[in-house]
Amino acid sequence: MTQREHFGSRAAVIMAMAGSAIGLGNIWRFPFIVGEYGGAAFILVYIICCFLLSLPIMLSETIIGRRTHQGTFGAMNALAPGTAWKWLGLLTVLSPLIILSYYSVVGGWSFAFLCKALALQFQPDNAESVTAMFGTFSSSTWWPLVCMMVFLFLTALIVYFGVNKGIERFSKVSIPVLFVLIVIIAIYSMTLPGAGEGVRYLVKPDFSKLTPDAYAAALGQSFFSLSLGVGTMLTYASYVRKDENILLSGTGTAFFDLLFAILAGFAVMPAVFAAGITPSSGPGLVFETLPFIFAKMGAGAQVISAVVSILFFLTILVAALSSSISMMEVGVAYLVEEKKQSRHNATIILFLITLVVGILCSLSFGVLSDVKLLGNTIFNFCDRLASNFLMTIGALLFSVFVGWKMDKAAVKDELTNGGKIKSSGKLFPIVYFLIKYVAPVTIAAIFIIGLLG
Ligand code: PHE
């Protein structure tokens, strides 16, 4: 049997996990959700959610993954052989593939808009038509499909090279680069005339907009952003060596992800205000509003505006890729370990499956827009299914598994590396309490209230 791969260093572990976490969720979703629920007040709730509810889930997944050194299905079978927990293993092999299918559509859009930026299509004299560009593009048939295919192909290519030569190498370069890029874009955005209003929006809380919905949205967003409940963190953790400090890498990942989301907020919102647009303009924010802003701002400083637009869509594309590879890796680990496929075959099989579902998701913006599943287009159905149900159920079950099914001594052993990490030992009672009680009870409550509401 071939030796299982491991991430080469602590930096590699954090970069890969942060790579999975930092993605479209941070740049594309976070700013518009913040816009919808009242700026700084929502960010506050979001931060609390991240550390009190999502971090315990992340730790639950890493504990299971690192303990067994197996993918989701194998891990569940190893820790609870012959029980119904294997269904959680199977569910979490499937759910990242559903996410990957519609995620690739948006990944494809980022690629397309990077090409548009490179072709200098966002010009001051066509600022108004730039806003319409996205609608026309996404509802057309061929270009979005081609771009999605390119995105999926790049994903498969990185995954094909394996954990060290593919995932680790890509994340180690992309994550630092992403941070540099987002800081440059945020500086540009904050120096635009009229941007002050946007900055104020992000730092001055408006508690009146914190409806009960906002809490569910914060929780859902933090699961999505930290890639939780779908086995990605579990699978990555299965490549972590026994002597790594998983409490530290989990907390580090959550911290970097949050930092990046906030920086993305500062990159997007001030520009939105500078252009005089209301912040809650939905998912189109990044693909409609931002190109409009680049075009409009180009009037005075064409070169700077063109460069920033290229950097912006490059950032989205790279961030999306570092996440999509983690989704595909879950399925690859399953096919390689459980079905004894070669990595090469596993990657091709998953590429083809996601391509088929991805094509349907992409066409649901155009020719298939009338096909409705429970009242949703195919794309929205996959998104809702994954982020409202699969992620929450997965997250809940992972914490229940670690808190209630696994032996407490084993959990402590894993978190403290057999008692060697003293600081983790001291924090263990708090972490265990969060995993066993706080996370499952709160998540279940928010989930049920959401279902009833
Ligand atoms: N965390 C990623 C993002 O923010 C999305 C993701 C979800 C990645 C689930 C892996 C698994 O874009």
Side-chain angles (χ1 to χ4, degrees):
M1 201 177 135
T2 48
Q3 190 69 34
R4 206 166 192 277
E5 286 186 278
H6 287 295
F7 288 122
S9 64
R10 173 170 302 164
V13 173
I14 296 190
M15 294 298 160
M17 286 171 68
S20 169
I22 295 171
L24 295 169
N26 304 58
I27 315 176
W28 177 61
R29 250 163 162 250
F30 185 73
F32 81 75
I33 293 190
V34 170
E36 238 168 80
Y37 293 106
F42 179 83
I43 298 183
L44 224 66
V45 173
Y46 181 74
I47 294 177
I48 297 173
C49 257
C50 274
F51 287 97
L52 236 49
L53 303 176
S54 297
L55 183 57
I57 306 298
M58 159 105 76
L59 294 172
S60 305
E61 288 199 34
T62 29
I63 286 168
I64 300 171
R66 216 260 307 251
R67 183 104 193 136
T68 55
H69 285 312
Q70 293 189 48
T72 56
F73 187 77
M76 285 298 151
N77 261 344
L79 292 174
T83 64
W85 286 103
K86 71 163 179 284
W87 293 108
L88 175 61
L90 211 57
L91 177 78
T92 48
V93 170
L94 293 177
S95 38
L97 290 181
I98 298 178
I99 301 181
L100 181 57
S101 304
Y102 73 86
Y103 202 85
S104 305
V105 176
V106 187
W109 297 345
S110 338
F111 175 69
F113 273 66
L114 173 62
C115 298
K116 286 180 191 294
L118 283 166
L120 303 179
Q121 283 193 9
F122 312 136
Q123 294 297 325
D125 47 354
N126 70 352
E128 300 306 326
S129 64
V130 160
T131 326
M133 219 179 236
F134 174 66
T136 320
F137 167 78
S138 61
S139 60
S140 64
T141 300
W142 292 108
W143 277 118
L145 285 186
V146 171
C147 295
M148 183 200 71
M149 252 179 240
V150 171
F151 181 84
L152 257 184
F153 177 76
L154 292 174
T155 304
L157 193 68
I158 301 170
V159 171
Y160 167 73
F161 279 108
V163 173
N164 295 122
K165 293 210 184 86
I167 295 173
E168 175 174 333
R169 208 184 263 176
F170 183 75
S171 313
K172 266 169 106 175
V173 177
S174 65
I175 294 303
V177 169
L178 283 176
F179 270 95
V180 173
L181 290 178
I182 202 78
V183 168
I184 296 176
I185 299 162
I187 292 173
Y188 165 82
S189 174
M190 286 194 287
T191 49
L192 292 173
E197 205 39 47
V199 175
R200 226 161 294 135
Y201 183 80
L202 288 169
V203 294
K204 209 171 131 249
D206 172 5
F207 288 100
S208 70
K209 283 212 194 140
L210 276 187
T211 53
D213 272 19
Y215 295 93
L219 186 69
Q221 171 62 20
S222 75
F223 283 168
F224 188 84
S225 192
L226 286 170
S227 318
L228 298 178
V230 292
T232 40
M233 288 303 175
L234 191 160
T235 305
Y236 270 12
S238 73
Y239 302 120
V240 173
R241 283 182 203 284
K242 280 284 175 229
D243 56 356
E244 286 299 343
N245 182 339
I246 52 174
L247 182 58
L248 192 72
S249 32
T251 316
T253 304
F255 173 77
F256 284 129
D257 183 62
L258 180 65
L259 182 66
F260 196 89
I262 292 176
L263 284 170
F266 280 97
V268 173
M269 279 306 162
V272 167
F273 276 85
I277 294 165
T278 37
S280 54
S281 71
L285 197 62
V286 160
F287 294 101
E288 287 170 357
T289 313
L290 269 269
F292 169 74
I293 293 161
F294 294 134
K296 211 171 134 196
M297 297 306 162
Q302 211 148 353
V303 177
I304 299 186
S305 165
V307 170
V308 176
S309 68
I310 294 168
L311 296 183
F312 183 73
F313 288 108
L314 182 68
T315 308
I316 303 190
L317 178 65
V318 173
L321 272 175
S322 68
S323 298
S324 60
I325 52 178
S326 71
M327 299 173 203
M328 194 176 269
E329 182 59 31
V330 178
V332 168
Y334 173 75
L335 291 178
V336 170
E337 284 161 15
E338 307 298 326
K339 302 287 167 208
K340 308 296 170 225
Q341 295 293 321
S342 65
R343 181 168 269 274
H344 174 260
N345 285 355
T347 316
I348 294 179
I349 294 172
L350 292 172
F351 171 77
L352 293 175
I353 295 176
T354 36
L355 187 63
V356 172
V357 188
I359 288 174
L360 297 176
C361 288
S362 180
L363 293 180
S364 74
F365 285 88
V367 289
L368 296 184
S369 61
D370 288 336
V371 179
K372 296 276 159 62
L373 299 170
L374 301 176
N376 295 290
T377 61
I378 303 171
F379 180 99
N380 285 343
F381 177 79
C382 290
D383 182 25
R384 298 249 155 86
L385 177 68
S387 35
N388 295 356
F389 292 97
L390 300 178
M391 295 192 116
T392 321
I393 291 170
L396 186 66
L397 292 177
F398 280 131
S399 66
V400 168
F401 185 83
V402 173
W404 298 87
K405 170 83 187 153
M406 269 178 88
D407 188 22
K408 185 174 177 182
V411 176
K412 184 168 185 182
D413 182 71
E414 201 51 44
L415 207 68
T416 60
N417 293 359
K420 281 202 222 61
I421 309 175
K422 295 282 175 267
S423 53
S424 301
K426 284 204 192 96
L427 290 170
F428 181 73
I430 304 174
V431 174
Y432 195 66
F433 183 75
L434 290 176
I435 293 179
K436 188 168 175 129
Y437 300 104
V438 179
V441 171
T442 323
I443 294 166
I446 295 182
F447 183 62
I448 292 168
I449 293 169
L451 278 187
L452 299 177

